[in-house]
Amino acid sequence: QVQLVESGGGLVQAGDSLRLSCAASGRAASNSAMGWFRQAPGKEREFVAAISWSGGNTYYADSVKGRFTISKDNAKNTNYLQMNSLKVEDTAVYYCALDRSRIRTASMASQSYDYWGQGTQVTVSS
């Protein structure tokens, strides 16, 4: 079993930065790709960023490319989402997810992910 715990969300102003963390625990947490998704009120969950197990491959939604950076520390089984130049439209609940089936790549499809965190709220005010 795998547990994912997100942290780092909060209320910020447009243009500010936040760093989200996702700590993974459990035997199956190793050797897995990880990703971030978000869901705004009244909208479907959407892909934000993903990273392969090695960290060598990263993937981003067009809406966050150039502003967000995903990284990971395998020694800590933790991945991070650095969010810069935040916009009001980035407001959402952000979810961390783990995909046990991928090591060298990562998926942008939510159905590929086996485990999900509880989510952390990010609110960006104008």
Side-chain angles (χ1 to χ4, degrees):
Q1 190 71 347
V2 173
Q3 287 188 325
L4 302 174
V5 179
E6 302 104 331
S7 60
L11 171 63
V12 297
Q13 292 188 329
D16 286 350
S17 299
L18 274 177
R19 190 177 80 154
L20 304 183
S21 299
C22 175
S25 61
R27 292 178 59 184
S30 301
N31 299 327
S32 301
M34 299 189 77
W36 288 92
F37 291 77
R38 67 187 182 187
Q39 187 167 18
K43 295 187 177 181
E44 294 187 353
R45 188 172 298 188
E46 65 174 2
F47 169 77
V48 177
I51 188 167
S52 62
W53 165 247
S54 67
N57 292 305
T58 56
Y59 308 81
Y60 296 94
D62 288 342
S63 59
V64 307
K65 204 170 291 183
R67 300 188 297 122
F68 290 11
T69 302
I70 189 170
S71 61
K72 68 198 316 276
D73 183 340
N74 286 341
K76 296 181 179 180
N77 258 355
T78 299
N79 83 86
Y80 307 95
L81 185 67
Q82 178 67 42
M83 306 185 294
N84 298 330
S85 303
L86 282 162
K87 304 177 180 180
V88 172
E89 49 264 42
D90 293 320
T91 296
V93 178
Y94 283 70
Y95 297 92
C96 174
L98 184 144
D99 177 2
R100 292 175 54 190
S101 68
R102 287 175 173 80
I103 297 177
R104 297 181 180 179
T105 62
S107 174
M108 295 184 283
S110 61
Q111 57 265 37
S112 298
Y113 291 82
D114 309 290
Y115 298 96
W116 294 81
Q118 80 287 353
T120 185
Q121 177 71 45
V122 172
T123 303
V124 185
S125 63
S126 58

